[in-house]
């Protein structure tokens, strides 16, 4: 079967093909698009100039037999090459835009029946988009870009343009991490309210330059977790999570997805910190699920066990061989003085209220007595029960 072409490139030396011959060969109704250039500054490996030669790119409306092309340009078949790949890549080679090691010809040197410069700009934009997409995929699958920090790397325009690629890259990373090894530390912190458990956990993350996520105050602990380095399960209650799910979440060595309301989450933590008012023993025995689970499973996972008071921090460390905690020491509570605790004087209280709530004038006794349904607040009242009675 005779050869035919939908796109082709003709390469021929100047001494055997004149520009008049080229123009005459292109003057056929079958030709849809064309562009050509004279390469007269190409060098061989020795640095010597090559003979001047034409590069002609043609896109036809329909397939054209080889014999016809040969007749139009007065050449033999061996000077015709099929364009493999995209026509735009062949156009880019005319100026060597896609061959940086070669002489870069000016776009103005190209002759075409379309706006070659505009086509080159479109091509350049496509190449830039292709390179940027590849870069984003590498950054996401490599764990540099995560769901919590993607806005630092990806512009709104890029997100709109590459959303499918970005989503696929995040999904690929989750699949890649499933079942893989990890080295995650777990810290259990217990103490009464106001002892600074959460404050210490945040300080720990900041000192170690970890991004951190504080769990939501519901039974969906990971609702907005987006791959942060430190997960703080803050003020967690036993009825928030099933025992098997918690043990899976705290697994120090194996990555796995953790149950969440809308979509299961893949932990990418270096550290998980549990803060609660309950000791580990009480907490574990009140978890949802099978009560026959061994407490030692949680102890193994929580390498550090901290008990906090307003003034002290008692620290235990898990011993893997003897399988018990060793008391390391009792330290001063490092966050005890972070937030000032003192009672305001009446004058300080009034100044604070004036600044915060902007009451410029205190009500006098007559105004108070005429206030419908007014009830003065008492220290012993837990809830305001007075009813406001409006005049009829």
């Amino acid at each position: 079967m005779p050869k035919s072409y939908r796109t082709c490139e003709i390469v021929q030396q100047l001494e055997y093909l004149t520009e008049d011959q080229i123009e005459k060969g292109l003057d056929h109704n079958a030709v849809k698009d064309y562009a050509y250039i004279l390469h007269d500054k190409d060098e061989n490996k020795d640095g010597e100039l090559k003979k001047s030669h034409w590069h002609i790119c043609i896109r036809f409306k329909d397939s054209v037999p080889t014999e016809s092309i040969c007749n139009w340009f007065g050449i033999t078949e061996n000077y015709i090459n099929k364009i493999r790949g995209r026509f735009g890549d062949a156009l880019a080679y005319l100026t060597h835009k896609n061959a940086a090691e070669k002489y870069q010809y000016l776009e103005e040197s190209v002759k075409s029946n379309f706006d070659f410069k505009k086509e080159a700009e479109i091509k350049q934009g496509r190449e830039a988009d292709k390179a940027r997409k590849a870069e984003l995929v590498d950054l996401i699958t490599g764990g540099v870009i995560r769901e919590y920090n993607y806005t630092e790397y990806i512009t709104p325009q890029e997100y709109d343009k590459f959303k499918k690629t970005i989503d696929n890259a995040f999904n690929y990373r989750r699949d890649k991490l499933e079942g893989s090894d990890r080295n995650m530390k777990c810290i259990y912190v217990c103490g009464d309210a106001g002892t600074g458990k959460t404050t210490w956990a945040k300080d720990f993350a900041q000192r170690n330059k970890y991004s951190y996520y504080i769990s939501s105050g519901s039974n969906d602990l990971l609702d907005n977790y987006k791959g942060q380095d430190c997960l703080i399960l803050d003020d967690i209650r036993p009825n928030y999570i099933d025992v098997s799910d918690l043990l899976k979440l705290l697994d120090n060595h194996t990555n796995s997805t953790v149950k969440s309301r809308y979509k299961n989450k893949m932990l990418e933590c270096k550290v998980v910190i549990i803060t609660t008012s309950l000791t580990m023993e009480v907490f574990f025995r009140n978890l949802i699920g099978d009560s026959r689970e061994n407490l030692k499973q949680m102890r193994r996972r929580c390498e550090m066990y901290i008990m906090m008071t307003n003034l002290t921090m008692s620290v235990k460390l898990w011993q893997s061989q003897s399988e018990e905690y060793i008391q390391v020491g009792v330290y001063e509570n490092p966050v005890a003085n972070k937030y000032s605790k003192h009672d305001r004087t009446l004058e300080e209280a009034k100044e604070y209220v004036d600044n915060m709530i902007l009451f410029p004038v205190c009500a006098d006794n007559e105004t108070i007595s005429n206030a419908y349904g007014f009830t003065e607040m008492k220290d012993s009242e837990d809830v305001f029960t007075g009813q406001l009675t409006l005049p009829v």
Side-chain angles (χ1 to χ4, degrees):
M1 184 176 178
K3 274 188 180 180
S4 61
Y5 295 91
R6 287 295 298 267
T7 61
C8 73
E9 180 186 31
I10 298 172
V11 181
Q12 177 62 291
Q13 292 181 8
L14 175 62
E15 60 184 300
Y16 301 115
L17 184 64
T18 65
E19 189 167 4
D20 286 342
Q21 287 177 282
I22 294 172
E23 291 289 344
K24 184 178 178 182
L26 293 171
D27 188 19
H28 286 83
N29 189 51
V31 176
K32 180 180 180 183
D33 300 307
Y34 70 79
Y36 67 90
I37 188 174
L38 180 67
H39 281 189
D40 55 1
K41 294 180 176 60
D42 290 0
E43 296 180 351
N44 57 29
K45 293 181 180 179
D46 300 326
E48 297 178 351
L49 281 176
K50 293 181 179 181
K51 289 186 177 181
S52 298
H53 56 279
W54 299 103
H55 279 270
I56 309 165
C57 294
I58 308 172
R59 179 160 51 194
F60 299 105
K61 296 175 182 176
D62 293 297
S63 294
V64 174
T66 305
E67 184 180 356
S68 297
I69 300 172
C70 292
N71 290 335
W72 295 347
F73 292 92
I75 57 176
T76 55
E77 183 180 345
N78 57 303
Y79 295 105
I80 305 172
N81 297 304
K82 182 178 180 180
I83 293 177
R84 302 188 182 278
R86 291 179 296 186
F87 189 66
D89 294 330
L91 294 178
Y93 189 78
L94 296 182
T95 58
H96 288 158
K97 285 290 184 185
N98 52 1
E101 73 282 2
K102 297 187 176 184
Y103 181 84
Q104 300 296 296
Y105 291 94
L106 298 175
E107 292 172 349
E108 289 77 8
S109 301
V110 178
K111 294 186 178 180
S112 65
N113 66 340
F114 56 88
D115 191 334
F116 180 82
K117 189 172 183 180
K118 183 178 180 180
E119 186 80 15
E121 288 173 353
I122 294 172
K123 166 67 177 174
Q124 190 173 4
R126 290 197 192 106
E127 290 299 319
D129 284 352
K130 183 179 177 181
R132 180 57 175 159
K133 283 171 70 174
E135 181 184 24
L136 291 177
V137 168
D138 288 343
L139 290 172
I140 291 170
T141 57
V144 176
I145 298 179
R146 301 190 196 175
E147 290 180 274
Y148 77 89
N149 69 352
Y150 77 91
T151 56
E152 298 174 21
Y153 295 86
I154 303 172
T155 67
Q157 293 77 15
E158 287 177 331
Y159 186 79
D160 182 61
K161 185 185 291 186
F162 307 138
K163 186 178 187 304
K164 185 176 180 180
T165 297
I166 292 167
D167 290 344
N168 287 342
F170 277 124
N171 290 333
Y172 178 88
R173 177 166 173 79
R174 278 191 288 271
D175 293 343
K176 182 181 176 182
L177 289 175
E178 177 76 26
S180 64
D181 293 339
R182 68 180 175 194
N183 181 20
M184 187 180 75
K185 303 292 184 185
C186 300
I187 303 172
Y188 190 95
V189 185
C190 68
D192 291 336
T195 54
K197 300 184 296 297
T198 307
T199 300
W200 179 84
K202 291 192 291 185
D203 278 2
F204 174 89
Q206 290 164 355
R207 286 197 313 273
N208 288 280
K209 297 182 179 179
Y210 292 153
S211 54
Y212 64 88
Y213 168 77
I214 300 177
S215 62
S216 61
S218 69
N219 58 359
D220 189 7
L221 300 174
L222 303 182
D223 190 19
N224 289 306
Y225 176 76
K226 296 180 179 180
Q228 289 87 342
D229 295 320
C230 180
L231 170 61
I232 301 173
L233 299 176
D234 189 41
D235 195 23
I236 185 172
R237 310 295 172 85
N239 61 328
Y240 283 1
I241 189 168
D242 183 276
V243 61
S244 60
D245 288 336
L246 179 65
L247 292 176
K248 189 178 180 182
L249 185 155
L250 299 180
D251 193 311
N252 308 104
H253 306 296
T254 304
N255 274 305
S256 60
T257 55
V258 181
K259 189 184 297 183
S260 189
R261 183 182 305 162
Y262 299 111
K263 183 170 68 173
N264 289 353
K265 302 296 179 73
M266 174 63 69
L267 290 186
E268 298 193 46
C269 296
K270 294 180 173 68
V271 180
V272 174
I273 302 175
I274 295 174
T275 73
T276 178
S277 60
L278 304 175
T279 64
M280 190 184 297
E281 293 77 11
V282 174
F283 178 85
F284 188 80
R285 290 305 173 204
N286 285 278
L287 285 167
I288 302 170
D290 192 347
S291 60
R292 294 172 297 176
E293 294 283 1
N294 194 327
L295 173 61
K296 193 175 286 186
Q297 293 188 68
M298 185 164 180
R299 286 175 170 168
R300 285 187 187 130
R301 288 162 167 76
C302 297
E303 179 186 46
M304 193 176 294
Y305 186 1
I306 299 173
M307 296 184 183
M308 294 185 73
T309 71
N310 287 325
L311 299 176
T312 62
M313 174 185 277
S314 177
V315 182
K316 296 179 180 180
L317 202 63
W318 180 254
Q319 303 287 77
S320 58
Q321 185 174 351
S322 59
E323 294 197 322
E324 60 183 17
Y325 282 110
I326 182 175
Q327 179 75 37
V328 178
V330 179
Y331 306 90
E332 290 187 1
N333 185 333
V335 296
N337 298 318
K338 182 157 187 176
Y339 301 110
S340 176
K341 294 181 180 179
H342 75 279
D343 290 340
R344 295 182 177 91
T345 65
L346 181 58
E347 289 73 21
E348 289 174 334
K350 288 181 176 179
E351 182 180 359
Y352 178 81
V353 170
D354 285 348
N355 289 333
M356 289 292 292
I357 312 180
L358 301 178
F359 286 167
V361 179
C362 287
D364 56 28
N365 290 332
E366 182 180 358
T367 302
I368 293 173
S369 65
N370 289 330
Y372 293 100
F374 177 81
T375 300
E376 186 177 356
M377 293 178 65
K378 306 293 185 184
D379 289 341
S380 61
E381 289 181 322
D382 294 326
V383 181
F384 176 74
T385 57
Q387 293 183 342
L388 184 62
T389 305
L390 297 176
V392 179

